[in-house]
Amino acid sequence: MAHVNPDDTIPTKVKFKDNERRFTDVSCAGLFLIALTLFFCLGFALVGSSVPVFVIGEDGTGLKLSDERMAEAEECCANAKAENIGNPEYYDNAIGICYYMETGDRRHLTGSDDSDFPEDGNIFEAFTLSPEIPATLISGAMAIAVGWVVLLRAFATPIVFATEFLKIVCFIYIASKTPDPTSKIVFFAVAFLYACFIVWKRERLQFAGKIISHSALALQKNPSMFMGLLCVKAFYILEAYCFILFMSKSVEVQGIKSFSYAGMTYDGNGVPSGSYVQHGCEFKEAAWAGMARNIIMFVWGWSVMFFTQARLSIVAYMIGSWHFHPQDMPSAGQAIKMTMTKGLGTVSFSAIILAIIQEIKKRLKFKWYHHCGPQCVVTAPMAVLACLISYLLETCFKMLTKFTLIIHVFSGLNFLNSAKKCFKMMGRHFEGGFITDYASTTVLQLGCYIFSLGITFAAWAWLDETYNWDTMPDPTNDGEDGGSSAIFFYIWLFYICFNLYYPVLSIFGIILLDMLLDQVMDLNRKYWVAPVAATFIGIVSMLFFQYVAGIILDTVDVCFVCYAVDKDNEVEGLAESEFTIMIQELPGYKKEPNPDFNTNPNTTLLVLNPNNGQMGAQQTGTGGAPQLLSFSQAAVGQPVAVVGQVVQPAGGQVQMGTAPNMY
């Protein structure tokens, strides 16, 4: 390839020392620190202002008002009852929570004394009453995620094929449990066709195993990096626990307020006979709690992306140094220090870009009811366009943002200057300026998906057992015996799978759905709290699994950039490296075009001497005898033939050019 201008690339070096770097994108770093401060200040303000509303009764069953709320409720209900004096019979009692105080009844869902959940509770109240459910399952997800990466380091290729085989098993299991004969045939056919697809694409899966193995080798050579990333993950987990705590406590930041209800009375013939105003008491959320919750949700989304980019930064420091100068490498502590200090601004800058991309994708989503009616003529094409834009954002801008951060780590440039370098460098070697291995990405994402799905259903079953519900549908039940029909199982399964596929967006969607069902729609909590709360736990687990799987994918991305830097700097021996051979198999890799040979009779060609196999340059002239030249004698910068290419110099004989692995 042509010589690259040094201004258009970066040297084969990672600047990780204090005297080599400066603070970059400082304003974005300050903004991120302010956002984090708001996150914790507002969160702990919610915790400090929260007062338990309900507690378990003395006998261990049922719910009653907490002592803190009881005095407030008694005062409010006494005033409401006094205002109801003079109302017609049956309308002279205080309503709302006063009903439970006067009758001695307790709040329940099922209409019986079996449930221990408030009838107006939500998913966060489920976590508040039973905090051991999210704590245990999310801790289990962390342990599974770490163990999974350890196994991938040792058994990459078998796990790749095992993951694909597991898909077939799932289809067969669904087919065996489906009562409808037609559905059985469909699922068995899908399983068979997918098995054929695996056989057809087995070489591609083996290649995915090689990529993951190469990444795992880099992890094995840098064990301290893995431990450093676990430390960063510990802060990630801490913020996740705080996020759940803040959101759970936000539902307890409320007071008891009076309200009134105006109604009409009717005689025996159904004719209006009068009117009344009935007073009662209800729980009312503090006005500032909703605003605080929205800010916490936004900062959490930014933080998720920040930890993702911080992980990539640490991997780039360690793997890049190991690749370019293994004798002079930073420790994991140095990599974390640089990421969280001088690189904080650029990391947070790239994180906010990714968060904005996620927000745009959320805005571009169409609901199924948007296509109901004649407007589908307009909404359907718009939905297709929205999908294309989402794909562009996900594949192009997201990948370029990742590669830009890697360039920043290597060079110490700010985000915009790193982006300029990245666009030029990656565009020279990869189609569209970015490259990724979709096979290995799919394998790792599917592993995250399966683990998260299992934790979701475990949470659902645990919630059912804790609150004496029976809400998990039976996929084999056709509904004739009064039980939950199979259709509800597949509806909830689709809902869970969809949310796990978009975890960052869905965690906000679930909170909004919970608020909608809780405050707008009068639905029995029994039918939605358990699956929605379980999905929330599954999404948080999915974020942890993706974080750990991302260590491997980040290592591959760093290797891609290292390859581009090496190629720009014409590093010797690059063509013979194992990774170069692998990367040339990826779609999107730019193969260098064959050089254009001129017709100058003095053109230098690389030939293999048929007598002794010596590689050299052969000078041919019009009508002249060939003369074997050494490489040192060959003219510098003249074109050469690639392996096996037939070249016809003007006036000379046809020669078979050959050369070592060339770009």
Side-chain angles (χ1 to χ4, degrees), residues 233 236 300 304 308 311 452 502-504 507 537-548:
K233 185 183 176 184
Y236 184 15
W300 164 250
V304 169
T308 298
R311 179 197 65 208
S452 302
Y502 300 101
V504 178
I507 201 166
I537 294 175
I539 287 173
V540 176
S541 301
M542 181 68 167
L543 292 174
F544 289 144
F545 286 123
Q546 287 184 334
Y547 180 87
V548 175

mmCIF file with all atom_site columns, all heavy atoms in Angstrom, residues 233 236 300 304 308 311 452 502-504 507 537-548:
data_model
loop_
_atom_site.group_PDB
_atom_site.id
_atom_site.type_symbol
_atom_site.label_atom_id
_atom_site.label_alt_id
_atom_site.label_comp_id
_atom_site.label_asym_id
_atom_site.label_entity_id
_atom_site.label_seq_id
_atom_site.pdbx_PDB_ins_code
_atom_site.Cartn_x
_atom_site.Cartn_y
_atom_site.Cartn_z
_atom_site.occupancy
_atom_site.B_iso_or_equiv
_atom_site.pdbx_formal_charge
_atom_site.auth_seq_id
_atom_site.auth_comp_id
_atom_site.auth_asym_id
_atom_site.auth_atom_id
_atom_site.pdbx_PDB_model_num
ATOM 1   N N   . LYS A 1 233 ? -16.435 -3.048  37.631 1.00 0.00 ? 233 LYS A N   1
ATOM 2   C CA  . LYS A 1 233 ? -17.780 -3.625  37.646 1.00 0.00 ? 233 LYS A CA  1
ATOM 3   C C   . LYS A 1 233 ? -18.394 -3.534  39.042 1.00 0.00 ? 233 LYS A C   1
ATOM 4   O O   . LYS A 1 233 ? -19.619 -3.395  39.180 1.00 0.00 ? 233 LYS A O   1
ATOM 5   C CB  . LYS A 1 233 ? -17.719 -5.085  37.195 1.00 0.00 ? 233 LYS A CB  1
ATOM 6   C CG  . LYS A 1 233 ? -19.088 -5.736  37.074 1.00 0.00 ? 233 LYS A CG  1
ATOM 7   C CD  . LYS A 1 233 ? -18.996 -7.197  36.705 1.00 0.00 ? 233 LYS A CD  1
ATOM 8   C CE  . LYS A 1 233 ? -20.378 -7.830  36.688 1.00 0.00 ? 233 LYS A CE  1
ATOM 9   N NZ  . LYS A 1 233 ? -20.335 -9.282  36.426 1.00 0.00 ? 233 LYS A NZ  1
ATOM 10  N N   . TYR A 1 236 ? -20.048 -0.408  39.192 1.00 0.00 ? 236 TYR A N   1
ATOM 11  C CA  . TYR A 1 236 ? -21.246 -0.536  38.347 1.00 0.00 ? 236 TYR A CA  1
ATOM 12  C C   . TYR A 1 236 ? -22.370 -1.204  39.133 1.00 0.00 ? 236 TYR A C   1
ATOM 13  O O   . TYR A 1 236 ? -23.524 -0.735  39.145 1.00 0.00 ? 236 TYR A O   1
ATOM 14  C CB  . TYR A 1 236 ? -20.869 -1.350  37.110 1.00 0.00 ? 236 TYR A CB  1
ATOM 15  C CG  . TYR A 1 236 ? -21.955 -1.519  36.067 1.00 0.00 ? 236 TYR A CG  1
ATOM 16  C CD1 . TYR A 1 236 ? -23.105 -0.742  36.068 1.00 0.00 ? 236 TYR A CD1 1
ATOM 17  C CD2 . TYR A 1 236 ? -21.808 -2.467  35.064 1.00 0.00 ? 236 TYR A CD2 1
ATOM 18  C CE1 . TYR A 1 236 ? -24.071 -0.899  35.085 1.00 0.00 ? 236 TYR A CE1 1
ATOM 19  C CE2 . TYR A 1 236 ? -22.765 -2.634  34.082 1.00 0.00 ? 236 TYR A CE2 1
ATOM 20  C CZ  . TYR A 1 236 ? -23.902 -1.850  34.105 1.00 0.00 ? 236 TYR A CZ  1
ATOM 21  O OH  . TYR A 1 236 ? -24.855 -2.007  33.146 1.00 0.00 ? 236 TYR A OH  1
ATOM 22  N N   . TRP A 1 300 ? -28.831 7.377   35.181 1.00 0.00 ? 300 TRP A N   1
ATOM 23  C CA  . TRP A 1 300 ? -28.555 5.939   35.157 1.00 0.00 ? 300 TRP A CA  1
ATOM 24  C C   . TRP A 1 300 ? -28.268 5.470   33.731 1.00 0.00 ? 300 TRP A C   1
ATOM 25  O O   . TRP A 1 300 ? -27.329 4.703   33.489 1.00 0.00 ? 300 TRP A O   1
ATOM 26  C CB  . TRP A 1 300 ? -29.730 5.172   35.757 1.00 0.00 ? 300 TRP A CB  1
ATOM 27  C CG  . TRP A 1 300 ? -29.720 3.713   35.454 1.00 0.00 ? 300 TRP A CG  1
ATOM 28  C CD1 . TRP A 1 300 ? -30.563 3.025   34.630 1.00 0.00 ? 300 TRP A CD1 1
ATOM 29  C CD2 . TRP A 1 300 ? -28.802 2.718   35.954 1.00 0.00 ? 300 TRP A CD2 1
ATOM 30  N NE1 . TRP A 1 300 ? -30.247 1.695   34.587 1.00 0.00 ? 300 TRP A NE1 1
ATOM 31  C CE2 . TRP A 1 300 ? -29.168 1.482   35.385 1.00 0.00 ? 300 TRP A CE2 1
ATOM 32  C CE3 . TRP A 1 300 ? -27.720 2.769   36.821 1.00 0.00 ? 300 TRP A CE3 1
ATOM 33  C CZ2 . TRP A 1 300 ? -28.492 0.307   35.669 1.00 0.00 ? 300 TRP A CZ2 1
ATOM 34  C CZ3 . TRP A 1 300 ? -27.036 1.593   37.085 1.00 0.00 ? 300 TRP A CZ3 1
ATOM 35  C CH2 . TRP A 1 300 ? -27.423 0.386   36.526 1.00 0.00 ? 300 TRP A CH2 1
ATOM 36  N N   . VAL A 1 304 ? -24.755 3.791   32.559 1.00 0.00 ? 304 VAL A N   1
ATOM 37  C CA  . VAL A 1 304 ? -24.617 2.473   31.928 1.00 0.00 ? 304 VAL A CA  1
ATOM 38  C C   . VAL A 1 304 ? -23.663 2.566   30.745 1.00 0.00 ? 304 VAL A C   1
ATOM 39  O O   . VAL A 1 304 ? -22.755 1.737   30.579 1.00 0.00 ? 304 VAL A O   1
ATOM 40  C CB  . VAL A 1 304 ? -25.996 1.935   31.492 1.00 0.00 ? 304 VAL A CB  1
ATOM 41  C CG1 . VAL A 1 304 ? -25.839 0.706   30.607 1.00 0.00 ? 304 VAL A CG1 1
ATOM 42  C CG2 . VAL A 1 304 ? -26.841 1.588   32.709 1.00 0.00 ? 304 VAL A CG2 1
ATOM 43  N N   . THR A 1 308 ? -19.692 1.114   30.210 1.00 0.00 ? 308 THR A N   1
ATOM 44  C CA  . THR A 1 308 ? -19.355 0.359   28.998 1.00 0.00 ? 308 THR A CA  1
ATOM 45  C C   . THR A 1 308 ? -18.123 0.950   28.321 1.00 0.00 ? 308 THR A C   1
ATOM 46  O O   . THR A 1 308 ? -17.205 0.227   27.914 1.00 0.00 ? 308 THR A O   1
ATOM 47  C CB  . THR A 1 308 ? -20.547 0.367   28.029 1.00 0.00 ? 308 THR A CB  1
ATOM 48  O OG1 . THR A 1 308 ? -21.670 -0.268  28.650 1.00 0.00 ? 308 THR A OG1 1
ATOM 49  C CG2 . THR A 1 308 ? -20.203 -0.379  26.743 1.00 0.00 ? 308 THR A CG2 1
ATOM 50  N N   . ARG A 1 311 ? -14.929 0.484   30.436 1.00 0.00 ? 311 ARG A N   1
ATOM 51  C CA  . ARG A 1 311 ? -14.397 -0.863  30.231 1.00 0.00 ? 311 ARG A CA  1
ATOM 52  C C   . ARG A 1 311 ? -13.571 -0.930  28.956 1.00 0.00 ? 311 ARG A C   1
ATOM 53  O O   . ARG A 1 311 ? -12.460 -1.485  28.941 1.00 0.00 ? 311 ARG A O   1
ATOM 54  C CB  . ARG A 1 311 ? -15.570 -1.850  30.157 1.00 0.00 ? 311 ARG A CB  1
ATOM 55  C CG  . ARG A 1 311 ? -15.179 -3.303  29.919 1.00 0.00 ? 311 ARG A CG  1
ATOM 56  C CD  . ARG A 1 311 ? -16.391 -4.085  29.461 1.00 0.00 ? 311 ARG A CD  1
ATOM 57  N NE  . ARG A 1 311 ? -16.868 -3.628  28.177 1.00 0.00 ? 311 ARG A NE  1
ATOM 58  C CZ  . ARG A 1 311 ? -18.141 -3.706  27.774 1.00 0.00 ? 311 ARG A CZ  1
ATOM 59  N NH1 . ARG A 1 311 ? -19.067 -4.191  28.584 1.00 0.00 ? 311 ARG A NH1 1
ATOM 60  N NH2 . ARG A 1 311 ? -18.488 -3.262  26.570 1.00 0.00 ? 311 ARG A NH2 1
ATOM 61  N N   . SER A 1 452 ? -30.118 -14.423 31.074 1.00 0.00 ? 452 SER A N   1
ATOM 62  C CA  . SER A 1 452 ? -31.051 -13.427 31.584 1.00 0.00 ? 452 SER A CA  1
ATOM 63  C C   . SER A 1 452 ? -32.483 -13.945 31.559 1.00 0.00 ? 452 SER A C   1
ATOM 64  O O   . SER A 1 452 ? -33.277 -13.659 32.466 1.00 0.00 ? 452 SER A O   1
ATOM 65  C CB  . SER A 1 452 ? -30.947 -12.139 30.762 1.00 0.00 ? 452 SER A CB  1
ATOM 66  O OG  . SER A 1 452 ? -29.643 -11.625 30.800 1.00 0.00 ? 452 SER A OG  1
ATOM 67  N N   . TYR A 1 502 ? -33.496 -5.188  24.266 1.00 0.00 ? 502 TYR A N   1
ATOM 68  C CA  . TYR A 1 502 ? -33.159 -3.768  24.359 1.00 0.00 ? 502 TYR A CA  1
ATOM 69  C C   . TYR A 1 502 ? -33.121 -3.367  25.836 1.00 0.00 ? 502 TYR A C   1
ATOM 70  O O   . TYR A 1 502 ? -33.999 -2.630  26.319 1.00 0.00 ? 502 TYR A O   1
ATOM 71  C CB  . TYR A 1 502 ? -34.201 -2.915  23.626 1.00 0.00 ? 502 TYR A CB  1
ATOM 72  C CG  . TYR A 1 502 ? -34.338 -3.225  22.165 1.00 0.00 ? 502 TYR A CG  1
ATOM 73  C CD1 . TYR A 1 502 ? -35.389 -4.001  21.688 1.00 0.00 ? 502 TYR A CD1 1
ATOM 74  C CD2 . TYR A 1 502 ? -33.420 -2.728  21.246 1.00 0.00 ? 502 TYR A CD2 1
ATOM 75  C CE1 . TYR A 1 502 ? -35.527 -4.271  20.337 1.00 0.00 ? 502 TYR A CE1 1
ATOM 76  C CE2 . TYR A 1 502 ? -33.545 -3.000  19.889 1.00 0.00 ? 502 TYR A CE2 1
ATOM 77  C CZ  . TYR A 1 502 ? -34.605 -3.779  19.441 1.00 0.00 ? 502 TYR A CZ  1
ATOM 78  O OH  . TYR A 1 502 ? -34.728 -4.045  18.102 1.00 0.00 ? 502 TYR A OH  1
ATOM 79  N N   . PRO A 1 503 ? -32.123 -3.822  26.581 1.00 0.00 ? 503 PRO A N   1
ATOM 80  C CA  . PRO A 1 503 ? -32.172 -3.641  28.037 1.00 0.00 ? 503 PRO A CA  1
ATOM 81  C C   . PRO A 1 503 ? -32.103 -2.187  28.489 1.00 0.00 ? 503 PRO A C   1
ATOM 82  O O   . PRO A 1 503 ? -32.811 -1.793  29.412 1.00 0.00 ? 503 PRO A O   1
ATOM 83  C CB  . PRO A 1 503 ? -30.957 -4.438  28.534 1.00 0.00 ? 503 PRO A CB  1
ATOM 84  C CG  . PRO A 1 503 ? -30.035 -4.513  27.360 1.00 0.00 ? 503 PRO A CG  1
ATOM 85  C CD  . PRO A 1 503 ? -30.908 -4.550  26.162 1.00 0.00 ? 503 PRO A CD  1
ATOM 86  N N   . VAL A 1 504 ? -31.253 -1.375  27.845 1.00 0.00 ? 504 VAL A N   1
ATOM 87  C CA  . VAL A 1 504 ? -31.091 0.009   28.300 1.00 0.00 ? 504 VAL A CA  1
ATOM 88  C C   . VAL A 1 504 ? -32.385 0.794   28.093 1.00 0.00 ? 504 VAL A C   1
ATOM 89  O O   . VAL A 1 504 ? -32.829 1.542   28.970 1.00 0.00 ? 504 VAL A O   1
ATOM 90  C CB  . VAL A 1 504 ? -29.925 0.687   27.568 1.00 0.00 ? 504 VAL A CB  1
ATOM 91  C CG1 . VAL A 1 504 ? -29.794 2.136   27.998 1.00 0.00 ? 504 VAL A CG1 1
ATOM 92  C CG2 . VAL A 1 504 ? -28.627 -0.054  27.850 1.00 0.00 ? 504 VAL A CG2 1
ATOM 93  N N   . ILE A 1 507 ? -35.491 -0.649  30.392 1.00 0.00 ? 507 ILE A N   1
ATOM 94  C CA  . ILE A 1 507 ? -35.526 -0.398  31.827 1.00 0.00 ? 507 ILE A CA  1
ATOM 95  C C   . ILE A 1 507 ? -36.319 0.882   32.113 1.00 0.00 ? 507 ILE A C   1
ATOM 96  O O   . ILE A 1 507 ? -37.014 0.986   33.129 1.00 0.00 ? 507 ILE A O   1
ATOM 97  C CB  . ILE A 1 507 ? -34.089 -0.305  32.391 1.00 0.00 ? 507 ILE A CB  1
ATOM 98  C CG1 . ILE A 1 507 ? -34.108 -0.569  33.896 1.00 0.00 ? 507 ILE A CG1 1
ATOM 99  C CG2 . ILE A 1 507 ? -33.447 1.036   32.108 1.00 0.00 ? 507 ILE A CG2 1
ATOM 100 C CD1 . ILE A 1 507 ? -32.738 -0.834  34.472 1.00 0.00 ? 507 ILE A CD1 1
ATOM 101 N N   . ILE A 1 537 ? -35.849 -7.322  36.838 1.00 0.00 ? 537 ILE A N   1
ATOM 102 C CA  . ILE A 1 537 ? -34.669 -8.012  37.371 1.00 0.00 ? 537 ILE A CA  1
ATOM 103 C C   . ILE A 1 537 ? -33.868 -8.643  36.232 1.00 0.00 ? 537 ILE A C   1
ATOM 104 O O   . ILE A 1 537 ? -32.631 -8.601  36.213 1.00 0.00 ? 537 ILE A O   1
ATOM 105 C CB  . ILE A 1 537 ? -35.097 -9.082  38.391 1.00 0.00 ? 537 ILE A CB  1
ATOM 106 C CG1 . ILE A 1 537 ? -35.724 -8.406  39.619 1.00 0.00 ? 537 ILE A CG1 1
ATOM 107 C CG2 . ILE A 1 537 ? -33.910 -9.949  38.807 1.00 0.00 ? 537 ILE A CG2 1
ATOM 108 C CD1 . ILE A 1 537 ? -36.283 -9.385  40.638 1.00 0.00 ? 537 ILE A CD1 1
ATOM 109 N N   . GLY A 1 538 ? -34.577 -9.235  35.256 1.00 0.00 ? 538 GLY A N   1
ATOM 110 C CA  . GLY A 1 538 ? -33.893 -9.837  34.117 1.00 0.00 ? 538 GLY A CA  1
ATOM 111 C C   . GLY A 1 538 ? -33.112 -8.817  33.305 1.00 0.00 ? 538 GLY A C   1
ATOM 112 O O   . GLY A 1 538 ? -32.012 -9.098  32.820 1.00 0.00 ? 538 GLY A O   1
ATOM 113 N N   . ILE A 1 539 ? -33.657 -7.607  33.161 1.00 0.00 ? 539 ILE A N   1
ATOM 114 C CA  . ILE A 1 539 ? -32.968 -6.562  32.396 1.00 0.00 ? 539 ILE A CA  1
ATOM 115 C C   . ILE A 1 539 ? -31.689 -6.135  33.106 1.00 0.00 ? 539 ILE A C   1
ATOM 116 O O   . ILE A 1 539 ? -30.632 -5.976  32.470 1.00 0.00 ? 539 ILE A O   1
ATOM 117 C CB  . ILE A 1 539 ? -33.911 -5.361  32.188 1.00 0.00 ? 539 ILE A CB  1
ATOM 118 C CG1 . ILE A 1 539 ? -34.988 -5.719  31.163 1.00 0.00 ? 539 ILE A CG1 1
ATOM 119 C CG2 . ILE A 1 539 ? -33.144 -4.137  31.731 1.00 0.00 ? 539 ILE A CG2 1
ATOM 120 C CD1 . ILE A 1 539 ? -36.058 -4.670  31.017 1.00 0.00 ? 539 ILE A CD1 1
ATOM 121 N N   . VAL A 1 540 ? -31.763 -5.935  34.428 1.00 0.00 ? 540 VAL A N   1
ATOM 122 C CA  . VAL A 1 540 ? -30.557 -5.565  35.180 1.00 0.00 ? 540 VAL A CA  1
ATOM 123 C C   . VAL A 1 540 ? -29.504 -6.670  35.054 1.00 0.00 ? 540 VAL A C   1
ATOM 124 O O   . VAL A 1 540 ? -28.312 -6.401  34.881 1.00 0.00 ? 540 VAL A O   1
ATOM 125 C CB  . VAL A 1 540 ? -30.899 -5.289  36.653 1.00 0.00 ? 540 VAL A CB  1
ATOM 126 C CG1 . VAL A 1 540 ? -29.638 -5.008  37.459 1.00 0.00 ? 540 VAL A CG1 1
ATOM 127 C CG2 . VAL A 1 540 ? -31.865 -4.106  36.765 1.00 0.00 ? 540 VAL A CG2 1
ATOM 128 N N   . SER A 1 541 ? -29.947 -7.929  35.120 1.00 0.00 ? 541 SER A N   1
ATOM 129 C CA  . SER A 1 541 ? -29.012 -9.051  34.945 1.00 0.00 ? 541 SER A CA  1
ATOM 130 C C   . SER A 1 541 ? -28.409 -9.045  33.547 1.00 0.00 ? 541 SER A C   1
ATOM 131 O O   . SER A 1 541 ? -27.218 -9.310  33.369 1.00 0.00 ? 541 SER A O   1
ATOM 132 C CB  . SER A 1 541 ? -29.741 -10.374 35.195 1.00 0.00 ? 541 SER A CB  1
ATOM 133 O OG  . SER A 1 541 ? -30.280 -10.423 36.496 1.00 0.00 ? 541 SER A OG  1
ATOM 134 N N   . MET A 1 542 ? -29.245 -8.723  32.548 1.00 0.00 ? 542 MET A N   1
ATOM 135 C CA  . MET A 1 542 ? -28.765 -8.665  31.166 1.00 0.00 ? 542 MET A CA  1
ATOM 136 C C   . MET A 1 542 ? -27.664 -7.620  31.022 1.00 0.00 ? 542 MET A C   1
ATOM 137 O O   . MET A 1 542 ? -26.671 -7.840  30.314 1.00 0.00 ? 542 MET A O   1
ATOM 138 C CB  . MET A 1 542 ? -29.937 -8.335  30.230 1.00 0.00 ? 542 MET A CB  1
ATOM 139 C CG  . MET A 1 542 ? -29.575 -8.278  28.759 1.00 0.00 ? 542 MET A CG  1
ATOM 140 S SD  . MET A 1 542 ? -29.147 -9.907  28.096 1.00 0.00 ? 542 MET A SD  1
ATOM 141 C CE  . MET A 1 542 ? -29.156 -9.589  26.337 1.00 0.00 ? 542 MET A CE  1
ATOM 142 N N   . LEU A 1 543 ? -27.804 -6.496  31.693 1.00 0.00 ? 543 LEU A N   1
ATOM 143 C CA  . LEU A 1 543 ? -26.774 -5.463  31.632 1.00 0.00 ? 543 LEU A CA  1
ATOM 144 C C   . LEU A 1 543 ? -25.454 -5.971  32.203 1.00 0.00 ? 543 LEU A C   1
ATOM 145 O O   . LEU A 1 543 ? -24.374 -5.665  31.672 1.00 0.00 ? 543 LEU A O   1
ATOM 146 C CB  . LEU A 1 543 ? -27.242 -4.220  32.390 1.00 0.00 ? 543 LEU A CB  1
ATOM 147 C CG  . LEU A 1 543 ? -28.417 -3.450  31.771 1.00 0.00 ? 543 LEU A CG  1
ATOM 148 C CD1 . LEU A 1 543 ? -28.872 -2.335  32.694 1.00 0.00 ? 543 LEU A CD1 1
ATOM 149 C CD2 . LEU A 1 543 ? -28.035 -2.883  30.407 1.00 0.00 ? 543 LEU A CD2 1
ATOM 150 N N   . PHE A 1 544 ? -25.511 -6.773  33.264 1.00 0.00 ? 544 PHE A N   1
ATOM 151 C CA  . PHE A 1 544 ? -24.291 -7.331  33.838 1.00 0.00 ? 544 PHE A CA  1
ATOM 152 C C   . PHE A 1 544 ? -23.654 -8.344  32.883 1.00 0.00 ? 544 PHE A C   1
ATOM 153 O O   . PHE A 1 544 ? -22.443 -8.345  32.673 1.00 0.00 ? 544 PHE A O   1
ATOM 154 C CB  . PHE A 1 544 ? -24.588 -7.997  35.177 1.00 0.00 ? 544 PHE A CB  1
ATOM 155 C CG  . PHE A 1 544 ? -24.899 -7.026  36.279 1.00 0.00 ? 544 PHE A CG  1
ATOM 156 C CD1 . PHE A 1 544 ? -25.836 -7.319  37.243 1.00 0.00 ? 544 PHE A CD1 1
ATOM 157 C CD2 . PHE A 1 544 ? -24.257 -5.808  36.358 1.00 0.00 ? 544 PHE A CD2 1
ATOM 158 C CE1 . PHE A 1 544 ? -26.133 -6.429  38.257 1.00 0.00 ? 544 PHE A CE1 1
ATOM 159 C CE2 . PHE A 1 544 ? -24.538 -4.901  37.354 1.00 0.00 ? 544 PHE A CE2 1
ATOM 160 C CZ  . PHE A 1 544 ? -25.479 -5.211  38.310 1.00 0.00 ? 544 PHE A CZ  1
ATOM 161 N N   . PHE A 1 545 ? -24.477 -9.223  32.299 1.00 0.00 ? 545 PHE A N   1
ATOM 162 C CA  . PHE A 1 545 ? -23.947 -10.207 31.364 1.00 0.00 ? 545 PHE A CA  1
ATOM 163 C C   . PHE A 1 545 ? -23.318 -9.526  30.156 1.00 0.00 ? 545 PHE A C   1
ATOM 164 O O   . PHE A 1 545 ? -22.249 -9.933  29.684 1.00 0.00 ? 545 PHE A O   1
ATOM 165 C CB  . PHE A 1 545 ? -25.058 -11.163 30.914 1.00 0.00 ? 545 PHE A CB  1
ATOM 166 C CG  . PHE A 1 545 ? -25.462 -12.164 31.960 1.00 0.00 ? 545 PHE A CG  1
ATOM 167 C CD1 . PHE A 1 545 ? -26.776 -12.253 32.384 1.00 0.00 ? 545 PHE A CD1 1
ATOM 168 C CD2 . PHE A 1 545 ? -24.540 -13.028 32.527 1.00 0.00 ? 545 PHE A CD2 1
ATOM 169 C CE1 . PHE A 1 545 ? -27.161 -13.175 33.353 1.00 0.00 ? 545 PHE A CE1 1
ATOM 170 C CE2 . PHE A 1 545 ? -24.908 -13.949 33.498 1.00 0.00 ? 545 PHE A CE2 1
ATOM 171 C CZ  . PHE A 1 545 ? -26.232 -14.022 33.904 1.00 0.00 ? 545 PHE A CZ  1
ATOM 172 N N   . GLN A 1 546 ? -23.977 -8.487  29.646 1.00 0.00 ? 546 GLN A N   1
ATOM 173 C CA  . GLN A 1 546 ? -23.426 -7.776  28.498 1.00 0.00 ? 546 GLN A CA  1
ATOM 174 C C   . GLN A 1 546 ? -22.118 -7.077  28.847 1.00 0.00 ? 546 GLN A C   1
ATOM 175 O O   . GLN A 1 546 ? -21.223 -6.977  28.005 1.00 0.00 ? 546 GLN A O   1
ATOM 176 C CB  . GLN A 1 546 ? -24.445 -6.763  27.976 1.00 0.00 ? 546 GLN A CB  1
ATOM 177 C CG  . GLN A 1 546 ? -25.611 -7.389  27.236 1.00 0.00 ? 546 GLN A CG  1
ATOM 178 C CD  . GLN A 1 546 ? -26.544 -6.348  26.660 1.00 0.00 ? 546 GLN A CD  1
ATOM 179 O OE1 . GLN A 1 546 ? -26.644 -5.229  27.159 1.00 0.00 ? 546 GLN A OE1 1
ATOM 180 N NE2 . GLN A 1 546 ? -27.253 -6.707  25.607 1.00 0.00 ? 546 GLN A NE2 1
ATOM 181 N N   . TYR A 1 547 ? -22.022 -6.599  30.070 1.00 0.00 ? 547 TYR A N   1
ATOM 182 C CA  . TYR A 1 547 ? -20.777 -5.942  30.489 1.00 0.00 ? 547 TYR A CA  1
ATOM 183 C C   . TYR A 1 547 ? -19.613 -6.924  30.457 1.00 0.00 ? 547 TYR A C   1
ATOM 184 O O   . TYR A 1 547 ? -18.527 -6.608  29.947 1.00 0.00 ? 547 TYR A O   1
ATOM 185 C CB  . TYR A 1 547 ? -20.943 -5.363  31.898 1.00 0.00 ? 547 TYR A CB  1
ATOM 186 C CG  . TYR A 1 547 ? -19.700 -4.672  32.416 1.00 0.00 ? 547 TYR A CG  1
ATOM 187 C CD1 . TYR A 1 547 ? -19.466 -3.331  32.128 1.00 0.00 ? 547 TYR A CD1 1
ATOM 188 C CD2 . TYR A 1 547 ? -18.757 -5.357  33.181 1.00 0.00 ? 547 TYR A CD2 1
ATOM 189 C CE1 . TYR A 1 547 ? -18.323 -2.688  32.598 1.00 0.00 ? 547 TYR A CE1 1
ATOM 190 C CE2 . TYR A 1 547 ? -17.620 -4.723  33.646 1.00 0.00 ? 547 TYR A CE2 1
ATOM 191 C CZ  . TYR A 1 547 ? -17.405 -3.388  33.350 1.00 0.00 ? 547 TYR A CZ  1
ATOM 192 O OH  . TYR A 1 547 ? -16.273 -2.772  33.800 1.00 0.00 ? 547 TYR A OH  1
ATOM 193 N N   . VAL A 1 548 ? -19.822 -8.116  30.982 1.00 0.00 ? 548 VAL A N   1
ATOM 194 C CA  . VAL A 1 548 ? -18.743 -9.105  31.031 1.00 0.00 ? 548 VAL A CA  1
ATOM 195 C C   . VAL A 1 548 ? -18.436 -9.633  29.631 1.00 0.00 ? 548 VAL A C   1
ATOM 196 O O   . VAL A 1 548 ? -17.271 -9.771  29.243 1.00 0.00 ? 548 VAL A O   1
ATOM 197 C CB  . VAL A 1 548 ? -19.120 -10.252 31.993 1.00 0.00 ? 548 VAL A CB  1
ATOM 198 C CG1 . VAL A 1 548 ? -18.057 -11.340 31.965 1.00 0.00 ? 548 VAL A CG1 1
ATOM 199 C CG2 . VAL A 1 548 ? -19.274 -9.715  33.411 1.00 0.00 ? 548 VAL A CG2 1
#
